[in-house]
Amino acid sequence: MAEDAILGFLQNNDEIQNSENFAHDFGVGHDEIVNVIRSLHGFRLVDAQDIRRERWVLTEEGKTYAAVGSPEFQLFSAVPPEGIAREELQKKLDPAVYKIGCQQAIKNKWVEMAKTNVSRKVQHADDKVKDLLLRIQNGETVNQEDIDDLKRRKLIIQQVWKGFSVKKGPNYAPKRKRAATDLTRENLQRGDWKELEFKEYNFSAKGQPVEGGHLHPLLKVRRQIQMIFLYMGFEEMPTNNFVESSFWNFDALFQPQQHPARDSHDTFFLKVPSTTKMLPEDYVERVKEIHESGGYQSRGYGYDWKREEANKNLLRTHTTAVSSRMLYALAQKPFAPKKYYSIDRVFRNEAVDRTHLAEFHQIEGLICDRGLTLGDLIGVLQDFFSRLGMSKLRFKPAYNPYTEPSMEIFSYHEGFKKWVEIGNSGMFRPEMLLPMGLPEDVRVIAWGLSLERPTMILNGIDNIRDLFGPKVDLGLIKRNPICRLGL
């Protein structure tokens, strides 16, 4: 109906000047007319020119003030010439009207607000806001300064109207003849295929791009770091337990129960199941003893260790919880040196920003052998990070509850032209290892870093939310080239 109306009108007229007026005259919805015009324009039956109109309309709040007056005028009108107590004035007005009205009336110097009373500073006031809103509602012109004031108060919004003016196109015809796209059996049986006009083939048109699989940058770097560990003779630890008990996550690592990391502001504790009942009792007693009274030449922490704290379930805050399990299992057998690594997710109750998420990946490596020293740790770190393309390293003394000595690892970033912290490391304390049952001359060196940080550096990403999480840009994954590290 709309298409016939447009083509029929243009047969006897040169132009449709306004699609909205045309739709009104013919009793057709403007949206329907616009869709038909776009279709006809695409086939060049008509030439359509855009018409755009902008106008200001009242918001719901603006409509209210246009009807009953602005808050400042309502407040001014509620103040009698002799003044009024503030509490009485509040009772007479809606809370929102009172709050906005006070601000604007004081700004306009209409009233004076004392501690207990409100009095008029002028005897008469004009409600300019209401007058302006009524003028805009009636389609009258208002100067830009007043528009800006009303817009700032969110009393008006801009409404954009789009339409078309239409003329005959180079392929104009009083009735569109639709080109056939298929030759059907019915066309052949009826014989009407001779009269059909077929749509031409466009042999230069490109087909739909073929979608292939793409690896996420995080997975690429994860795989390449995994290969580095394998080349260096490491064995992967099982990290399929996202839920851990506080015992393996904290207590077994000689981390005191009053440590800030064990607070709910830093750790996600589970409601169901809230506790675990599967702990090796003899080992638990040895851990309790080392915390309370010390041992192995350590004074311990000197506090009352609570089993109920150790039983609490949580989302693991580091994969070192897995390391504690693996070392305990290693201690139950005749000792043999081991190299372990893991790369998996950990969870911390942190505020999300451009460098922090509540969920991220931790890379961890450890070596367990007799007579290891800090020099061995530094040598292994030099080897490991050089394979990542980070040959300039520095080490800074640090503190960790379960390693001593401990070192922060820094690498010189050629792009940033500065030293950047890339990880943490240390030697596990005897208070952690000996209660497990490991021999006294066995030492464990370990280090850890996040997976996201090197991936961000390698891909030039400065916001972690662009790399990992629900807001990640899928285009980044498709554009990302194969990333090779210095293996």
Side-chain angles (χ1 to χ4, degrees):
M1 176 183 173
E3 182 174 309
D4 293 340
I6 293 169
L7 294 176
F9 183 87
L10 290 176
Q11 187 174 9
N12 302 314
N13 298 274
D14 294 332
E15 182 181 11
I16 297 173
Q17 294 184 346
N18 187 305
S19 56
E20 185 176 44
N21 296 339
F22 181 84
H24 181 267
D25 293 342
F26 280 82
V28 182
H30 186 239
D31 289 342
E32 183 180 353
I33 288 289
V34 165
N35 290 335
V36 172
I37 289 173
R38 286 175 177 158
S39 175
L40 294 172
H41 179 74
F43 287 94
R44 302 307 308 277
L45 274 78
V46 301
D47 284 333
Q49 296 294 324
D50 291 338
I51 302 174
R52 177 188 174 95
R53 284 202 308 266
E54 297 177 355
R55 64 172 184 164
W56 293 99
V57 296
L58 274 55
T59 63
E60 290 302 317
E61 188 178 2
K63 291 176 183 177
T64 301
Y65 298 163
V68 301
S70 65
E72 55 265 39
F73 189 77
Q74 292 184 54
L75 183 137
F76 177 81
S77 301
V79 177
E82 66 274 11
I84 188 173
R86 293 184 70 157
E87 290 184 2
E88 291 297 321
L89 183 60
Q90 280 183 281
K91 293 177 182 178
K92 294 175 67 175
L93 298 171
D94 181 89
V97 171
Y98 177 80
K99 181 180 178 181
I100 299 171
C102 285
Q103 296 170 351
Q104 296 298 326
I106 293 171
K107 180 180 176 181
N108 293 342
K109 298 182 180 180
W110 289 354
V111 298
E112 183 174 356
M113 306 286 288
K115 284 187 178 181
T116 57
N117 293 322
V118 182
S119 59
R120 292 186 177 187
K121 294 183 73 173
V122 295
Q123 295 305 313
H124 176 74
D126 293 323
D127 195 353
K128 181 182 176 183
V129 171
K130 178 179 179 180
D131 293 340
L132 290 171
L133 291 173
L134 289 173
R135 286 174 60 188
I136 290 172
Q137 202 171 41
N138 295 330
E140 299 177 25
T141 304
V142 176
N143 67 55
Q144 189 59 45
E145 185 179 350
D146 292 329
I147 289 290
D148 292 340
D149 288 339
L150 295 175
K151 184 170 66 170
R152 195 177 302 113
R153 293 180 63 174
K154 298 181 180 179
L155 302 181
I156 59 174
I157 56 172
Q158 195 172 53
Q159 188 180 74
V160 179
W161 176 89
K162 295 180 181 180
F164 293 102
S165 64
V166 185
K167 293 183 179 180
K168 294 178 182 177
N171 298 334
Y172 172 78
K175 191 165 185 68
R176 172 162 35 175
K177 187 176 182 181
R178 299 185 182 274
T181 56
D182 293 305
L183 180 63
T184 66
R185 176 183 177 185
E186 288 74 18
N187 297 142
L188 295 173
Q189 288 177 336
R190 291 194 301 264
D192 59 3
W193 60 271
K194 299 176 183 179
E195 287 77 32
L196 287 177
E197 181 179 326
F198 289 97
K199 186 177 181 181
E200 295 181 0
Y201 282 103
N202 182 2
F203 292 102
S204 61
K206 293 182 179 180
Q208 288 291 326
V210 177
E211 286 288 342
H214 300 272
L215 281 177
H216 193 286
L218 212 58
L219 294 179
K220 292 182 182 179
V221 177
R222 183 188 191 281
R223 177 58 177 165
Q224 292 175 33
I225 290 176
Q226 184 181 41
M227 295 305 297
I228 289 174
F229 277 116
L230 294 176
Y231 289 155
M232 292 177 69
F234 282 73
E235 176 185 339
E236 187 170 11
M237 294 185 281
T239 54
N240 52 330
N241 287 349
F242 286 179
V243 174
E244 271 290 4
S245 66
S246 293
F247 177 80
W248 292 111
N249 197 84
F250 294 123
D251 296 275
L253 299 176
F254 196 56
Q255 194 157 323
Q257 293 187 336
Q258 66 270 28
H259 194 280
R262 301 178 74 147
D263 188 82
S264 60
H265 293 296
D266 292 292
T267 301
F268 292 111
F269 288 94
L270 267 66
K271 288 186 177 179
V272 180
S274 61
T275 58
T276 183
K277 298 178 181 178
M278 300 171 61
L279 294 176
E281 294 300 327
D282 56 338
Y283 178 44
V284 170
E285 285 301 315
R286 294 196 296 272
V287 170
K288 176 179 185 292
E289 179 68 21
I290 198 73
H291 277 250
E292 289 184 342
S293 307
Y296 314 108
Q297 301 181 5
S298 170
R299 292 185 301 176
Y301 290 115
Y303 70 96
D304 291 330
W305 187 87
K306 294 182 173 57
R307 176 65 181 267
E308 55 267 26
E309 285 294 325
N311 286 345
K312 289 182 180 178
N313 283 333
L314 48 79
L315 292 178
R316 67 180 179 214
T317 62
H318 48 192
T319 52
T320 316
V322 182
S323 302
S324 65
R325 283 180 176 272
M326 295 299 292
L327 290 171
Y328 173 73
L330 187 64
Q332 309 314 304
K333 307 172 186 176
F335 179 74
K338 286 289 183 179
K339 293 181 178 180
Y340 289 128
Y341 83 93
S342 64
I343 309 172
D344 212 335
R345 298 190 186 193
V346 295
F347 310 85
R348 294 181 188 175
N349 193 2
E350 294 189 1
V352 175
D353 57 31
R354 65 189 307 106
T355 58
H356 295 87
L357 288 177
E359 174 184 358
F360 58 97
H361 294 79
Q362 181 179 333
I363 303 165
E364 183 164 347
L366 68 87
I367 300 176
C368 181
D369 203 349
R370 299 182 188 273
L372 292 174
T373 67
L374 191 65
D376 294 307
L377 173 60
I378 293 174
V380 171
L381 292 176
Q382 293 280 7
D383 185 13
F384 175 80
F385 283 102
S386 67
R387 296 170 184 262
L388 282 169
M390 303 175 186
S391 56
K392 297 180 181 178
L393 295 184
R394 282 182 179 174
F395 305 98
K396 175 184 174 184
Y399 168 76
N400 291 316
Y402 45 89
T403 58
E404 180 59 38
S406 307
M407 302 184 302
E408 292 175 346
I409 312 163
F410 291 81
S411 172
Y412 187 76
H413 193 286
E414 297 292 346
F416 296 156
K417 300 298 181 186
K418 65 178 182 179
W419 291 90
V420 178
E421 184 183 351
I422 55 173
N424 211 328
S425 65
M427 300 185 68
F428 283 145
R429 296 176 66 105
E431 295 96 326
M432 172 187 165
L433 301 178
L434 296 179
M436 292 177 174
L438 288 167
E440 289 190 10
D441 61 342
V442 168
R443 303 287 184 269
V444 179
I445 58 176
W447 70 98
L449 63 151
S450 78
L451 177 62
E452 284 76 9
R453 187 168 191 126
T455 307
M456 290 169 67
I457 293 173
L458 288 166
N459 291 275
I461 299 170
D462 63 355
N463 191 328
I464 192 171
R465 289 168 290 191
D466 294 335
L467 176 70
F468 183 56
K471 296 184 178 180
V472 67
D473 178 14
L474 295 180
L476 167 70
I477 300 173
K478 294 180 180 180
R479 294 190 303 269
N480 184 256
I482 293 176
C483 176
R484 296 192 180 275
L485 305 182
L487 300 180

